[in-house]
Amino acid sequence: MDLQRNDNTTEGPAGKAGKAGQGEPPPSGGRDYPALVVLVLLLVALVVTGYLSIQTITKGHDFRSGESIREWAEGIEDRVKDWLGQTTKIGKGKRDNARDHLVEGYRLFRKKMYAGALEELDRSIQMNQSDPEAYFWRGRILVSQGRFEPAAEDFGEAVKLKPDFAEAYDNLGWLLDRLGDTDSAIEALSKSIELKPDNGWAHHHRGRMHFKKGDRDRALKDAEKACGLGFQEGCKAYENYKSGGR
């Protein structure tokens, strides 16, 4: 479940005409000489810096012939290519292991950049096929893309690698129910509840599945438990099941 934060904004008081003597001070109408001096000094510094840079770049070159100009330009181009090559290597070096790709994939997922996030998680799993978190987050990305079957496979792999991964069981149970396998979904949520008995979300959804299967007593029990844990949807479901609704 995603946590949402509400950013409350406050508006300032509406503009009103002030009393006499409380308005903005009138403009001075004079020139701001200190600012002009600073501007002139900045311009001088810019000119001097540019001149020195040109002297450094053109040092040792004779520009009286077209050949010299071409050699100088080619030298500058080679320097730029070398710099770009070094920058590219540095950028790739930032994610040279599975964990780095996992972290980058998670960052992109949070920004809803799912294609890039999926690519990073694929690389992470290629490098390390025994990290349950990588399968979990790739599963979350696949869910966001509406690809439920491969997502369920990833959550299934996550719980195989980490049998106490309650959050993966939650996602697996929800997906299996969406895919029509309600019995397996109930098993997954039961495992999640076994690991985290105070998981109101899991109690609520397992109750919903029980009710869908016609087991009203178990549905009521789960809904009541979810409500007692503070999950408000569980409270609504309990009243609904008690009255025989859906």
Side-chain angles (χ1 to χ4, degrees), residues 114 118 122 138-155 175 179:
Y114 300 131
L118 185 60
D122 284 342
R138 190 172 71 173
R140 289 290 301 271
I141 294 166
L142 291 169
V143 169
S144 299
Q145 294 180 327
R147 300 166 63 185
F148 292 163
E149 290 186 2
E153 292 177 3
D154 272 350
F155 291 125
L175 277 173
L179 293 171

Side-chain angles (χ1 to χ4, degrees), residues 93-111:
K94 290 180 180 178
R95 296 192 294 279
D96 59 356
N97 59 66
R99 192 69 184 178
D100 289 340
H101 285 291
L102 169 60
V103 172
E104 178 64 10
Y106 172 77
R107 185 185 71 83
L108 294 174
F109 168 74
R110 296 292 294 176
K111 290 188 173 184

